């Protein structure tokens, strides 16, 4: 086990991309603050030098308090990975508007909250990295994705705008845009018909990315010298045409 006494914050770390990213950074010796609604899943990862907190990313006070507590123990945040997200697919003409609100709250407000929790300190010390997990659906549209793509196009725009503002302070901003990944994300969708169609699509392309593939992309961007900002990484299964 490597050690370097630097803190990495990861939201939505209880499963999928977040959990894989936590395991990779832990293996590389980083101290971690893991945030999610299911704290028992965080604790089950059993990672050393890790603080696990049950936090709703839409609660800015809770996010900031968790970061402040972790920084008291492990020092300033070297990077945050804003990974928490919801994908509630649906036909815009019939979808429950509460599903739109939930997605915009988590996918947009949650990302902004995570950014604000660390950005002032990063700008003050002239260094740090903010990595926001978006989607290919933040660059192009898909059937039954109208509200979801709205949130992910927003993540792309927010990250790029914030990058321009933070660049003079030597703070990096990275957008990670995966295609289909084998995670629990689809399970949030309430339409069985849409979920079945999505599963058929994944089978037709012969499988999708693994969470570890995204974690490796995050590590690649982070592991560049501070003077190198990999602004965006778009990755998908080779057979994913869309």
């Amino acid at each position: 086990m490597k050690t370097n006494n630097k803190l990495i914050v990861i939201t939505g770390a209880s499963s999928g991309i977040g959990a894989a990213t936590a395991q990779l950074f832990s293996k590389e010796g980083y101290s971690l603050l893991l945030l999610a609604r299911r704290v028992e899943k965080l604790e089950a990862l059993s990672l050393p030098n890790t603080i696990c907190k049950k936090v709703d990313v839409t609660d800015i006070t809770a996010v900031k308090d968790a970061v402040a507590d972790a920084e008291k123990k492990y020092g300033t945040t070297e990077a945050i990975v804003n990974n928490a997200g919801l994908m509630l697919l649906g036909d815009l003409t019939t979808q429950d508007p509460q599903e739109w609100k939930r997605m915009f709250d988590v996918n947009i407000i949650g990302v902004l909250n995570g950014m604000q929790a660390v950005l002032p300190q990063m700008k003050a010390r002239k260094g740090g990295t903010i990595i926001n997990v978006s989607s290919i659906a933040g660059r192009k549209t898909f059937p039954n994705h109208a509200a979801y793509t709205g949130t992910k196009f927003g993540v792309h725009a927010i990250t790029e705008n914030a990058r321009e503002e933070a660049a003079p302070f030597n703070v990096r901003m990275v957008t990670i845009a995966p295609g289909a990944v084998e995670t629990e994300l689809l399970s949030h969708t309430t339409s069985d018909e849409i979920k079945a169609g999505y599963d058929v699509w994944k089978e037709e392309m012969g499988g999708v990315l693994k969470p570890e593939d995204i974690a490796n992309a995050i590590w690649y961007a982070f592991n560049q010298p501070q003077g190198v900002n990999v602004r965006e990484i778009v990755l998908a299964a080779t057979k994913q045409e869309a």
Side-chain angles (χ1 to χ4, degrees):
M1 178 68 67
K2 303 174 184 177
T3 57
N4 54 38
N5 299 317
K6 293 182 179 179
L7 176 65
I8 306 294
V9 179
I10 304 172
T11 72
S14 59
S15 65
I17 294 169
T21 303
Q23 290 166 324
L24 177 54
F25 274 84
S26 179
K27 185 178 74 172
E28 294 294 335
Y30 287 86
S31 301
L32 302 175
L33 168 62
L34 305 183
L35 307 180
R37 292 171 294 110
R38 300 175 297 177
V39 70
E40 68 282 356
K41 292 275 191 178
L42 301 177
E43 293 168 344
L45 295 173
S46 299
L47 300 176
N49 302 316
T50 295
I51 297 173
C52 301
K53 291 272 191 178
K54 181 177 181 178
V55 169
D56 180 348
V57 293
T58 68
D59 183 343
I60 183 63
T61 301
V63 174
K64 287 184 175 180
D65 287 349
V67 170
D69 288 345
E71 289 186 337
K72 287 176 185 175
K73 183 171 184 179
Y74 294 125
T76 54
T77 301
E78 187 75 10
I80 186 169
V81 180
N82 287 305
N83 167 71
L86 283 177
M87 184 174 74
L88 303 170
L89 305 184
D91 183 336
L92 193 62
T93 60
T94 58
Q95 189 171 17
D96 182 351
Q98 285 301 309
E99 293 191 349
W100 307 337
K101 185 177 187 305
R102 288 174 59 200
M103 280 193 288
F104 275 85
D105 284 348
V106 174
N107 297 0
I108 297 291
I109 302 301
V111 167
L112 289 168
N113 287 345
M115 294 173 76
Q116 192 177 85
V118 301
L119 185 54
Q121 305 93 293
M122 289 181 176
K123 289 173 70 174
R125 72 172 190 272
K126 302 291 194 296
T129 305
I130 292 176
I131 300 172
N132 293 334
V133 178
S134 183
S135 170
I136 280 182
R139 306 176 86 251
K140 68 180 301 296
T141 57
F142 294 87
N144 298 311
H145 281 59
Y148 179 70
T149 57
T151 68
K152 292 304 185 178
F153 269 74
V155 171
H156 271 72
I158 289 165
T159 310
E160 176 58 14
N161 201 119
R163 184 200 61 75
E164 294 173 2
E165 295 172 355
F169 298 91
N170 199 42
V171 176
R172 303 184 298 183
M173 304 272 181
V174 181
T175 304
I176 304 292
V181 184
E182 198 59 63
T183 71
E184 297 178 4
L185 198 60
L186 182 63
S187 66
H188 301 150
T189 293
T190 54
S191 169
D192 291 335
E193 182 180 357
I194 290 174
K195 285 193 285 189
Y198 198 92
D199 286 336
V200 169
W201 177 58
K202 291 195 297 183
E203 290 176 10
E204 287 175 346
M205 73 176 80
V208 297
L209 297 176
K210 303 187 296 294
E212 292 76 14
D213 297 324
I214 315 307
N216 288 336
I218 290 170
W219 173 254
Y220 169 79
F222 171 78
N223 201 41
Q224 301 305 304
Q226 185 65 32
V228 177
N229 191 164
V230 179
R231 298 182 184 183
E232 181 180 6
I233 297 179
V234 183
L235 67 162
T238 302
K239 291 186 177 181
Q240 180 174 333
E241 296 177 5

